């Protein structure tokens, strides 16, 4: 074992962040591709670069920033991660527990995970939004593997309501007020960094996936481990491989995310106001 991710390890990050703020954040938000502009709206913002935080990780993806931003948004005390960590960057799965464990130790009560994803469901279109009701994780990995951190959660834990039903209901109420098309669906995790093959996407559809992506699931499992109420919101930036006869590129992902940036931001803000 390369590292020992015990309670003290995670506490060190939390102690540092706590020393920079004089409030308890209530809602945590991890911003996915194209969701960055939300961070600019946080009032009385305290920005902490990831590099400064002991035992934390640093973003290596060029279009992912690397700051923790704490402040007030829609009247709520929030902690926001502008830039997230992915397995494809080379981290161990165990390291991917760091963000949500930091939230938990700071006293956060609800977490929102946003991401860019490819649409598997052919009824969806780029620019649509999916409120996650569940996920498929067939890569045999859980970030809480290794010695269990008993202070944070139990060895074995339930994931039957991993994307909390009550929070999903709130998000659906907010969906009535957005111009975006909002669905409820299942996210399938692929570790990346390559996009999926057409055969993998056909298999994903047969298995019940509505969209696919390379993030969110490690954080969602970490949230379930520490009983953190959770909302997962995916922005469909492209149709997944093989749905259309065209090649996938990250440019399309960024372009679509950019094109619905404003209504997507307003949708997330409305959710935050009502959580
Ligand atoms: N596959 C995986 N991850 C993604 C995709 C996709 O098609 N689009 C955005 N993130």
């Amino acid at each position: 074992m390369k590292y020992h991710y015990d309670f003290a390890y995670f506490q060190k990050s939390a102690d540092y962040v706590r020393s920079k703020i004089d409030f308890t954040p209530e809602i945590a938000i991890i911003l996915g591709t194209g969701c960055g502009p939300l961070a600019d709206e946080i009032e009385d913002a305290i920005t902490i670069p990831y590099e400064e935080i002991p035992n934390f990780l640093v973003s290596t993806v060029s279009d992912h920033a690397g700051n923790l931003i704490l402040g007030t948004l829609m009247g709520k005390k929030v902690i926001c991660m502008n830039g997230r960590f992915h397995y494809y960057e080379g981290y161990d799965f165990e390291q991917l527990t760091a963000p949500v464990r930091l939230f938990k130790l700071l006293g956060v009560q609800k977490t929102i995970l946003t991401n860019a994803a490819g649409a598997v469901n052919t009824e969806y279109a780029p620019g649509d939004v999916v409120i996650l009701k569940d996920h498929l994780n067939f890569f045999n990995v859980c970030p809480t593997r290794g010695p269990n951190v008993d202070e944070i959660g139990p060895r074995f834990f339930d994931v039957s309501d991993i994307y909390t039903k009550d929070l999903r209901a709130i998000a659906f109420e907010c969906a009535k007020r957005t111009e975006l098309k909002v669905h409820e669906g299942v996210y399938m995790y692929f570790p990346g960094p390559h996009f999926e093959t057409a055969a993998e996407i056909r298999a994903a559809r047969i298995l019940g996936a509505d969209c696919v992506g390379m993030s969110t699931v490690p954080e969602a499992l970490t949230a379930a481990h520490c009983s953190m109420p959770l909302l997962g919101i995916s922005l469909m930036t492209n149709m997944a491989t093989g749905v259309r006869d065209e090649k996938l590129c990250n440019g399309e992902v960024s372009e679509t995310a950019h094109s619905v940036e404003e209504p997507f931001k307003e949708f997330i803000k409305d959710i935050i106001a009502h959580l």
Side-chain angles (χ1 to χ4, degrees):
M1 178 125 350
K2 270 185 282 183
Y3 306 95
H4 187 47
Y5 303 107
D6 58 7
F7 190 55
Y9 179 95
F10 298 105
Q11 247 182 340
K12 203 165 170 190
S13 309
D15 286 347
Y16 182 81
V17 174
R18 212 179 284 115
S19 76
K20 301 276 179 189
I21 52 173
D22 59 3
F23 60 89
T24 300
E26 181 196 349
I27 299 173
I29 313 134
I30 297 187
L31 300 177
T33 306
C35 311
L38 189 71
D40 300 333
E41 307 233 343
I42 297 176
E43 298 152 35
D44 305 318
I46 294 165
T47 300
I48 310 175
Y50 295 159
E51 296 84 17
E52 263 187 33
I53 307 168
N55 291 351
F56 209 57
L57 317 177
V58 291
S59 293
T60 66
V61 190
S62 62
D63 54 358
H64 280 250
N67 291 318
L68 204 59
I69 301 145
L70 296 108
T72 306
L73 187 59
M74 306 303 284
K76 304 278 171 75
K77 295 292 180 202
V78 299
I79 176 169
C80 176
M81 269 182 66
N82 194 10
R84 63 140 58 82
F85 312 116
H86 310 79
Y87 179 65
Y88 62 70
E89 293 174 77
Y91 294 116
D92 298 331
F93 261 91
E94 297 87 325
Q95 284 179 289
L96 299 178
T97 59
V100 174
R101 286 184 169 171
L102 173 67
F103 303 157
K104 182 73 182 179
L105 295 180
L106 290 174
V108 165
Q109 287 161 32
K110 291 161 196 153
T111 293
I112 305 174
L113 306 174
T114 65
N115 64 53
V120 173
N121 188 322
T122 54
E123 312 256 290
Y124 295 179
D128 286 2
V129 170
V130 179
I131 296 170
L132 303 187
K133 68 166 180 238
D134 209 343
H135 71 228
L136 289 160
N137 174 28
F138 283 2
F139 291 90
N140 194 27
V141 279
C142 180
T144 67
R145 73 189 278 272
N148 188 53
V149 185
D150 296 331
E151 295 90 339
I152 291 181
R155 169 78 299 179
F156 303 105
F157 56 100
D158 178 72
V159 291
S160 59
D161 189 30
I162 187 162
Y163 302 96
T164 316
K165 203 169 179 192
D166 294 352
L167 303 192
R168 279 190 273 140
I170 293 168
F172 265 105
E173 279 303 306
C174 298
K176 293 179 187 163
R177 292 186 284 272
T178 175
E179 68 206 60
L180 298 166
K181 197 159 178 205
V182 181
H183 313 269
E184 185 170 55
V186 173
Y187 178 97
M188 183 160 183
Y189 178 72
F190 282 86
H194 62 293
F195 292 113
E196 301 72 27
T197 66
E200 284 165 347
I201 294 302
R202 282 196 303 275
R205 190 176 300 114
I206 290 166
L207 291 169
D210 296 297
C211 57
V212 289
M214 307 173 196
S215 68
T216 300
V217 164
E219 296 138 357
L221 289 168
T222 308
H225 179 249
C226 65
S227 306
M228 170 79 79
L230 183 72
L231 201 52
I233 314 266
S234 292
L235 175 62
M236 299 302 104
T237 51
N238 55 282
M239 297 312 290
T241 311
V243 177
R244 290 179 185 162
D245 188 20
E246 40 192 56
K247 282 187 189 279
L248 275 190
C249 69
N250 201 41
E252 184 186 359
V253 171
S254 308
E255 237 168 72
T256 309
H258 188 64
S259 71
V260 291
E261 204 168 83
E262 199 52 36
F264 190 65
K265 183 178 76 181
E266 292 305 318
F267 178 52
I268 303 293
K269 277 167 62 183
D270 196 23
I271 293 173
I272 291 169
H274 290 90
L275 279 187

